[in-house]
Structure formats: structure tokens, C-alpha cells
Amino acid sequence: MTQDPQTVNRPPDSSPTSTEASIAVGHPRNATNLGRGLVSVVARWEVLLIVILAVVIWEGNQISPFYIDWTNFGFSTGGTMEVAIMALAMTPIIITGDIDLSVESMVGLSGAVLGVLWAGGLPLQFGIPIVLCVGLVGGLFNGMLVTRWGLPALVVTLGTLALYRGLAQVVLGTSYVSNFPKAFTDFGQGYVPGTSVPWTLLAFLTAAAIFCVVIHMTWIGRQVFAIGKNKEAARYSGVRVATLRTALFAVSGMVAAFAGVMLALRTNSVRSDNGSGLTLIVVMIAVLGGVDINGGKGTIPGVILAVFTLAALQSALRLAGVSSEYQNVTIGLLLIFSVITPQLARQFRVLADRVRQGRHRPVRDPIPGEVVR
Amino acid sequence: MASNVAVGANARRRVGALIGGFARSRELTLAVVLVALATLVAARAPNFLASTNVVSVTALAAIIAIAAVGEALVIITKNIDLSVESTIGLVAFVVAEVLKQHNLPIPAAWAIGIGLGLALGMANGVVIAIFRVPSIVATLGTLSIYRGLTYWVANGHEINSNDLPAGYTDAASRSILGFRIGDFQFPGVPIFVVLAVFVVIVAALALRYTVPGRQLYAVGSNAEAAATIGIRSQSTVFLAFSLCGMLAGVAGVLWGMEFGQLYASSGTGQSLAIIAAVVVGGVSISGGSGTVIGAAIGALFLGLINNALTVLLLPQEWLQMIYGAVILFAVSTDALIQLRSQRAKARSRIR
């Protein structure tokens, strides 16, 4: 068993008094203190996200009369669902203190395999399960390297980020495959009949419901948070840490493969560079959704809100005529500020506590930028 | 009889320790593998050693090596900088744009490039060290922000080598110390390589013998202990990111010299190659160990693999896959060696 530095270096702020759902601002330390209790509700990250979402929608409505419109809703959410569904699977991985950078390459690899199988004459109803198995195996490979050999998830998935993209290039070369059958592209592009709800949004919401129940209402979810708080303690209390972490990577691989299928069917084309650059957005959604990159904290509802915030923002920028390169700048800025804000709030709270209590609370400074590996 | 067995075991252990020590010196192992690989490729493809090929391999490897030295400084402090490729791209484009618009001497271009790189690195440092944003999140953000700035500067245009002064674009092919003895012509050492070697030596000495250099290791290996003995981790991490940005700036200027043709997307994907070089070079991603010499050899190693595919006429599609396999192989062997030595230690303690 290798020594795990993160259990030693965990800042005291993540003491058991903080619920993983609340950001650091609201510690309901004194239940009778109504004011503080109110603050803890209002200062929840999800509430803040709802405010941001409302502001974005209000601004978007100022930009264009077509913004608040079912057609635009369908269009702007439909295009985000691949990253959205991957962010769901990324959330428990980040909560346990790991990260999976290889998802974007798995999108490319699954698309490439699907394309080759389809071009070879295999019907998609057989091709898609095969591709999902490819994703499962790729995720298992990540998980085994991380847990059995004790390698840092960051490096392993950086390696497989290159490896899976390389496999996609070997499988498909520089060619491309398109002309998937209409019954399937309808899933990627079409809407539930009679509504403006894209099929992919329905798929995302189903997946989100499953993830939400599993992470927040079952023993699996409790164990995920336990691992994120303290791996050693979790192990000694009977959590099968290695197995669970491996399983999470396997799920992430399979979900990424499914996202690859969604992307292939939505764009009706497959190239070996499908999905490149998506990891940034997936991690961004998770972080924006209030998942702590150092592990131990995060909620699925927060991530769902982050998905819709991102979709609303992208749609507003698109209607304002901002090109996609600059949209990425906005996403990058949002990413950094979504982390700075709670950090500042936490420092402010520490300062306020010191002033109130009139004594120095011993707070260890974490290494700036310290990332759990 | 019993003593005989003990002596044999002792000798075996000593040989084992020697081999283990050799295998554990990543720089040495990598250098041996590097030479072996180069010999193999040269035997299969004679044009591998042609001076134009050597210059082009080493020029690109030198650029990556300089950036990898900066990245190594950051990774030693247990952080990571994913934004180097965008820094390289932005610096390369801005320097070329300035040279295109104004008639400036080359040293001024250098000053602009290094200054801009330093500023971008310091911006990372502020966000990470002062605002306490995890480095992976912060640099994921600046990766796209700096790239967006490049698109803004480029404004839909690209820069051709005819737009640039000859002194700038010629530099990549210039070399020093060339000589001729009778029929034997030594083409000299490309100045990119000279510069990279200089950077590596200065960084290696600074890391080994200066106080800030040691502090980088201290913060990366045990922040608690470092804080206890009075090292300010905030300023140390800020320093690492600033230097990383500055070296990425140097790499950016060289990038412009090497390619001449610049797009807003120039340099995309190089962060992976740079971090791969650092990791393959034996710098631990969990901080506190590794050397810049290893990182530089790692860069040369990956550059060689890249070129080997070309000269051996193997499909370029394999490159990404081989990169990934090499990274995984390098970190796995590290972990296995560590596991072995831990077990061996445990066994000897029982005895």
C-alpha cells in the first residue's frame, strides 16, 4: 500500500462538520442560530448556480427575442448533452479524488470503432453494444492501472488520453464514416414527438436521475464520499476502495463511449479527432457544479445545474455573434472564477471567525494549487 | 555451509542493489535506451543521420526540452501547468506579429517573447498561489483563455515566413562549432541545441545548489514540513509558475523561428508532449522528486520516436498511440521498481 499524501495534507476545512453538499461558506455549527442556518441555505453552491443561470437567461433575453424559445432550448441543450453525460460520470471520480482525462479520446475511439463496424456492414444495433464494451474495457484499464499499480490517475489518464486517441487514428486512419441510418441519427438529432425535447436530453435526464439516486441515496454513494474524505479510513471501515474506484473508471469509460455514439449520431459523421478538447469542458462542468477538485465534496444536482448554465451561456454567446474560439475564453474565465469565489468566501469566513472569536484559529495553509493525485 | 549461503545471498543482494540503483537512475537508463534506439534506427535508415534530419529532430526536441524544464519546475512543487501550449502559441504569434508590423531588432523580439511568457506565467501564479485555485483547474482555464487571446491577436489571419525578417527565420538552421578535417566535415551544433543545453545546465545547477531550488523540492515533497521550517509555499509555487511561463516564452520564440508559418492554433496539443517528456524523464507527478536533466532527455527521447516513425516510413497515425504507451510504460516501471524496493526493504528488516 503506497502512502497517500492527500490524507495527510487535507486542509482542516474539510472536517466532518461540513456536509459535502454545502460549500464552505455555510457551516451550520450552531443549529439554534437561525441567521447562520439561513446563510447556510442561501450560500449553498446550487442556489448560487440558480442565480447565475437566471442572470444568464435574463441577459440572453436582452440579446435576442429568439433566446427564450422552445426551438432554441432544444437546439442549445441538444448540442451539450455529450459533455453533460460525461460530466455525470466524472463527478464521482473527482469526488473520490481521482480524475479521468481520457474521456475525450474514448469519444474518438468509440466513434471510430462504430464507424468501422458500420462501414464493414455490421448493423448499428450490434455495433453500439460492442462500442460500449470497448468503453468499459478502456475504463477498466484506467482503473486497474490506478488502483492495482498505485499510479496517479492524472498520469495514467494522460497516457490513455494519447493512447486511445492513437488507437482511434489507427482504426480509422484519415478517413471518415457518415451516412448512419436515419432511425439512429434521429436519436442524435431529433426530438421527442410533439415536443422540443431532444432525445439526447431525455437520455441525459435519465442518466442524471440514476446517478443522483446512486450517489446521494445509496451505500455506494456514501462509500464514494468516504473514499474522497479519507481513503485509509474508508478502507479500515470496510469499503472496498480499489474495487469501487476501478468500477467508477469503468463506468466513466462506458459513458464516454456512449457520448461518442451520441456525437457520431448527432453530427452523422465519424472522424478520428471526434471529441478532441471535450475533457476541458467536462471537468469544467463538474467544477462549476461545485465538485471539489481535491475530492470529498460535490453533488449531482449541482452538476445538472452547471450543464444548463453552460448551455444557456453558450446559446446566449452564439446569438450575440461570439465565435466559438471566444466562447472558450468565457468558459475558461467562468471555470477560474467558479473556484476563486468559494475560496475567497472561505478565506473571508476564516477571517470573520477570527474577528468574532478574537483568537487565532489554527488553519494550515494548503500548498497553493495542490491537487490530489 | 550456512555461512556460504549467507555470503552468496549477500553478493547477490549487492549485485541486485547495483542493478536496482542503475535502473532507478532514470536519466541514465533513459540515455542508454535513447542511444540504443538511435543506433537501431540509424542501422535501418541511413538518412536518419543526415545533417538536415539531425538538425530538424534536435530543433524541435530543443524547443520541447526548454518548455519541459519549466514544466518540471512546476511538477516538482506538486502542481501542473496545462497551459504551456497556449503560452507557446500566444508568444510565437505575438512576437511574429510585432516583427511583421515594426522593424525591430531580433533581441527586442526576444525581450518581448520572454517578457510576455513571464507575464502569462505570473498570471497563472497569481491565480494559483494567491487565489488558491487548484493548478489543474486554473491552468485548464488559462489553456483556453490564452488560446482565445491568440485568436484575438490573429483576428483570422496567419503569418508567413516571408512576412518575417530573415535573421529571425534563419536562426533555426544556424549552428556553431562546425569544422572540417580533411574529408570529414562536422556540421556543428545547432544553436537551438546550444540554447537548450544552456537552459538545462543553468536550471539543473539552480535546482541543486540554490536555496529557491531546494525549496521547490521541499514544498513538493512535504508542504507541512516545509512550512514548519519557514518556507513560504505561496511564493515558491508562484516562482515555479513564473519561471515555467518564462521558459514557455523562450520556447515560443524558438517555435516561431523554427516554423515561420504561424496560425492562431499553433502549438495545440504540445502540452501533452511536454508533460509526457517530463513524466518519461522521471519527474514524479506527486511532487518532490526528479531532475530537469531527466525532463530534457525525455523530450529528446519522444522527439526521436516521432522522427523514427518518419524515417522508417511507418504511418504517422501510430505516433499518438506510441506516446501513450511510452508514458504508461515509463510510469509503470517506476511504480514497479518502487514496489520491489519497498518489498526488499521490508524483507531485509525482518531479517
Side-chain angles (χ1 to χ4, degrees), chain B residues 70-84:
Chain B
E71 184 73 59
L73 299 180
V74 167
I75 291 183
I76 284 170
T77 66
K78 206 182 177 184
N79 281 291
I80 196 161
D81 186 354
L82 301 173
S83 71
V84 271

Side-chain angles (χ1 to χ4, degrees), chain A residues 74-89:
Chain A
F75 180 70
S76 51
T77 50
T80 338
M81 285 305 114
E82 295 97 25
V83 283
I85 207 163
M86 286 193 281
L88 288 177

Side-chain angles (χ1 to χ4, degrees), chain A:
Chain A
M1 200 66 211
T2 48
Q3 244 289 338
D4 200 343
Q6 80 196 76
T7 53
V8 184
N9 289 336
R10 187 157 290 292
D13 272 337
S14 51
S15 60
T17 51
S18 71
T19 63
E20 54 278 350
S22 69
I23 61 161
V25 193
H27 279 269
R29 216 171 293 134
N30 188 351
T32 56
N33 190 334
L34 191 69
R36 277 196 84 101
L38 200 67
V39 166
S40 84
V41 172
V42 174
R44 279 179 74 100
W45 186 243
E46 287 82 359
V47 177
L48 218 64
L49 270 177
I50 292 175
V51 173
I52 296 175
L53 182 59
V55 170
V56 169
I57 291 176
W58 190 77
E59 280 293 327
N61 194 34
Q62 306 286 54
I63 290 168
S64 160
F66 302 108
Y67 183 73
I68 300 183
D69 180 277
W70 280 113
T71 320
N72 186 42
F73 171 78
F75 180 70
S76 51
T77 50
T80 338
M81 285 305 114
E82 295 97 25
V83 283
I85 207 163
M86 286 193 281
L88 288 177
M90 185 71 86
T91 301
I93 289 187
I94 298 183
I95 290 175
T96 59
D98 291 323
I99 195 160
D100 185 356
L101 298 179
S102 71
V103 284
E104 64 171 61
S105 297
M106 187 47 79
V107 168
L109 178 58
S110 65
V113 172
L114 189 73
V116 166
L117 291 177
W118 166 246
L122 192 75
L124 284 188
Q125 53 267 38
F126 298 116
I128 290 174
I130 291 177
V131 160
L132 294 184
C133 288
V134 169
L136 187 74
V137 171
L140 268 179
F141 183 64
N142 281 335
M144 297 299 260
L145 286 182
V146 171
T147 57
R148 304 291 154 191
W149 287 9
L151 301 175
L154 190 75
V155 188
V156 167
T157 56
L158 203 66
T160 51
L161 174 71
L163 186 70
Y164 297 158
R165 179 67 63 195
L167 279 174
Q169 287 171 352
V170 171
V171 168
L172 202 57
T174 49
S175 64
Y176 68 97
V177 178
S178 62
N179 292 325
F180 290 110
K182 186 168 182 314
F184 284 91
T185 53
D186 273 352
F187 168 75
Q189 304 164 346
Y191 300 91
V192 178
T195 66
S196 297
V197 178
W199 282 111
T200 50
L201 177 61
L202 205 62
F204 165 71
L205 290 176
T206 313
I210 295 172
F211 270 94
C212 193
V213 168
V214 172
I215 299 298
H216 295 300
M217 296 175 194
T218 68
W219 57 271
I220 300 177
R222 298 318 302 162
Q223 295 196 341
V224 166
F225 283 107
I227 295 174
K229 293 272 187 203
N230 189 334
K231 281 195 182 59
E232 282 299 290
R235 202 166 70 86
Y236 283 117
S237 29
V239 178
R240 288 193 291 181
V241 176
T243 313
L244 188 52
R245 284 167 79 199
T246 311
L248 292 179
F249 275 104
V251 168
S252 172
M254 198 160 88
V255 167
F258 184 70
V261 173
M262 277 164 67
L263 183 65
L265 297 180
R266 178 165 68 86
T267 57
N268 194 11
S269 89
V270 158
R271 288 188 347 187
S272 63
D273 66 345
N274 260 16
S276 50
L278 292 189
T279 299
L280 163 71
I281 303 174
V282 172
V283 175
M284 205 285 298
I285 291 175
V287 172
L288 184 62
V291 182
D292 188 344
I293 200 88
N294 292 317
K297 287 182 208 158
T299 67
I300 295 287
V303 172
I304 298 171
L305 278 172
V307 165
F308 286 109
T309 308
L310 181 76
L313 182 68
Q314 277 185 332
S315 167
L317 291 171
R318 201 163 34 228
L319 284 175
V322 177
S323 70
S324 61
E325 290 94 30
Y326 298 119
Q327 285 181 28
N328 278 340
V329 176
T330 324
I331 293 171
L333 285 170
L334 198 63
L335 177 64
I336 290 177
F337 280 107
S338 72
V339 182
I340 287 184
T341 321
Q343 294 281 15
L344 286 182
R346 177 184 302 178
Q347 281 176 6
F348 177 76
R349 182 179 56 84
V350 170
L351 204 70
D353 276 5
R354 273 184 205 168
V355 170
R356 193 180 304 119
Q357 300 176 351
R359 63 187 168 88
H360 180 81
R361 240 161 49 99
V363 174
R364 183 186 82 75
D365 285 351
I367 319 176
E370 175 184 14
V371 174
V372 174
R373 283 162 195 162

